[in-house]
Every structure is written in structure tokens, then in C-alpha cells.
Amino acid sequence: MEETEKRGTHQKTECIDWGGHVCGQTPITANSETWKDILVKNAHDGLPQPSPDCDRCSVISGECLYYHYGCDGKDDRGWGCGYRTIQTMSSWLCLNQPPSVSRRPPPSLSEIQQTLVEIGDKPDSFLGSREWIGTFEASLVLDQLYDVPCRIVHVRYGKELDQAVEDLHNHFLTRGSPVMMGGDRDNSSKGILGVCTGKQGSYLLVMDPHYFGCPLDKNSLQRQGWVSWKPVASMDQCSFYNLCLPLSAKK
């Protein structure tokens, strides 16, 4: 969720009630390491361009993992989308940054909260809460944990998002890292993995962290729309949007 967040209830959830088993498999819990092995890498690979008239397409370089609600056994539905997008961005930094830069594993939900408390952005009561976070918090976490500063691009209204398309093209061409996007009316955090532009307009390659359920493969994620091209014009025209662009090492 984005910057107009509300304080959530202070409650920790250590495991998901999967109804006994997940698709006949052993339940995934917060104490299990098996979830790390089922995160989909580059879930956008193989998606066709959104329109045959697209003559300019820029996407991330390298690899990232698809983090989503409940993927590690913690039920964060309704509040964790910003955290999950940070984890996806962190996975890219871990997998693609040069050896001279921090390549620590993506932080857990609790580690993200702990980081924001330690740097003074949040009070101690934030720990263990279900409070939303947005692009500003994402920039603080990536800077603190990976020594990667971020650029925040503010768009006043969704109908003006086309103005940010050039920023996205330049970012993916020069930096190659995933971008985080969120707003106020449209307060659902989402990852942006690419942008395509043609005569009929521009499209964003959206990685939606709101999926919750049995692990899906790449084809299923694409077929169900969790990773897909969205017309810029389909975004909420009355919502403001913020884009968090990690200033990772230039390609």
C-alpha cells in the first residue's frame, strides 16, 4: 500500500491456515525454508508484447523473484503488498549487483519493519504491526540495506502517467532494476518490470504481489494476470502515483 496508509492492528501471524495442506503438499510455515525454492524467477519471461504496434520496449535486465502474499508462510493479505514489492526489488539487487555492492538476501517482513524503526522512520510500535508502507519507505530500506539510493517520481494524476513513461524507458535501459509503483486512490503497491510504447499508447509490465494461494508456475501466473501488460490509460485517472526507481549500478 502507498503513502496514505492507516495504522493497522498490531498482530503477528506466524503461519497461514492453508486448510491442512497446500494442494496436497506439506503446509508452508514461517519456520520452513521450502518456500524459497518455489518462488518463480523472471515470471514475465515469455510474455508477448502487449500490442503489435509497439516499436519501443524496455524491460528489466537480469533476474528477480516473484514475491507475493503468503509466499513465506506469513499471511499478510490486505497490508503486505508494499513489503512484497520491496522483496522483489531486493531479489534483483541480490542476484544482479556487482560483487562490490551488498548482495544480502531479500529482507523478511519483520526485517523491513526493523530497518525502518532502526533508522528512525517508524516508532517502536511499528514492529509486528500490519501498517502499510509505500515507495518512500521502499527507498529508505533499499538505501539502508543495499546502499542503493532511489529516485522518487511523483505523478499528480493517473491521466498524467504518460509523462513518466520516458523516465521508465531510461531507467530500464540504463539501470535495469524493477520499479515500485503506488498511489492514493489506487493504493495497491505493484512492481513495474518494463514499459512498451507504440502508436496506440504505452503499457506497463506489472508484477502484482496480491496473489495468495498454492504456488503457481510462470505460465499460470501469466495466464491469471498476476504478471501482465497493463495499458497506462487503464490506471486510475484520479489517483496520484509515486514511482520508486532504484539507482542501481549502470549497465
Side-chain angles (χ1 to χ4, degrees):
M1 301 296 183
E2 190 51 26
E3 279 71 18
T4 56
E5 62 261 28
K6 298 178 181 178
R7 296 280 177 176
T9 56
H10 294 189
Q11 179 178 352
K12 296 181 179 179
T13 303
E14 291 304 322
C15 63
I16 296 173
D17 179 6
W18 293 102
H21 291 78
V22 182
C23 300
Q25 302 172 2
T26 302
I28 300 175
T29 68
N31 296 321
S32 172
E33 297 297 318
T34 59
W35 63 271
K36 295 180 181 178
D37 301 323
I38 59 177
L39 292 175
V40 176
K41 184 178 291 185
N42 280 12
H44 63 290
D45 277 355
L47 270 178
Q49 289 193 1
S51 173
D53 78 338
C54 285
D55 52 15
R56 189 181 183 196
C57 196
S58 308
V59 298
I60 65 167
S61 304
E63 299 176 329
C64 70
L65 301 175
Y66 174 55
Y67 280 81
H68 56 87
Y69 280 167
C71 65
D72 55 0
K74 289 184 171 59
D75 187 349
D76 55 319
R77 286 175 290 179
W79 60 274
C81 55
Y83 298 78
R84 298 305 183 182
T85 305
I86 290 174
Q87 289 178 320
T88 288
M89 299 165 80
S90 298
S91 75
W92 187 94
L93 293 171
C94 174
L95 293 169
N96 300 280
Q97 285 284 86
S100 59
V101 181
S102 174
R103 302 180 71 174
R104 58 155 289 161
S108 65
L109 305 188
S110 60
E111 287 173 332
I112 292 173
Q113 291 188 341
Q114 184 66 44
T115 298
L116 292 170
V117 170
E118 288 178 352
I119 64 176
D121 179 67
K122 301 292 184 186
D124 289 344
S125 59
F126 180 65
L127 295 174
S129 74
R130 297 186 177 189
E131 186 174 331
W132 307 348
I133 59 175
T135 52
F136 176 69
E137 289 89 350
S139 69
L140 296 177
V141 170
L142 296 183
D143 193 6
Q144 179 70 13
L145 298 184
Y146 294 92
D147 198 24
V148 173
C150 297
R151 177 187 173 207
I152 302 293
V153 175
H154 177 69
V155 180
R156 295 182 303 166
Y157 301 103
K159 59 187 178 184
E160 299 177 357
L161 264 172
D162 276 323
Q163 299 175 9
V165 165
E166 189 62 30
D167 289 299
L168 290 171
H169 275 297
N170 289 336
H171 174 79
F172 292 124
L173 288 171
T174 61
R175 305 286 182 173
S177 51
V179 169
M180 179 172 172
M181 178 176 175
D184 56 346
R185 276 172 51 106
D186 178 6
N187 56 19
S188 297
S189 174
K190 51 190 72 71
I192 306 299
L193 306 186
V195 58
C196 266
T197 302
K199 295 178 181 179
Q200 302 301 315
S202 295
Y203 301 79
L204 301 178
L205 180 49
V206 175
M207 176 173 277
D208 185 345
H210 295 84
Y211 171 70
F212 179 84
C214 300
L216 297 179
D217 60 23
K218 187 178 304 183
N219 291 334
S220 298
L221 290 172
Q222 295 180 9
R223 187 172 60 252
Q224 295 183 24
W226 297 109
V227 182
S228 64
W229 289 102
K230 304 287 187 185
V232 168
S234 70
M235 300 298 164
D236 191 316
Q237 300 297 286
C238 296
S239 176
F240 79 67
Y241 285 100
N242 286 332
L243 302 168
C244 176
L245 284 62
L247 300 181
S248 46
K250 288 189 176 182
K251 296 195 290 182

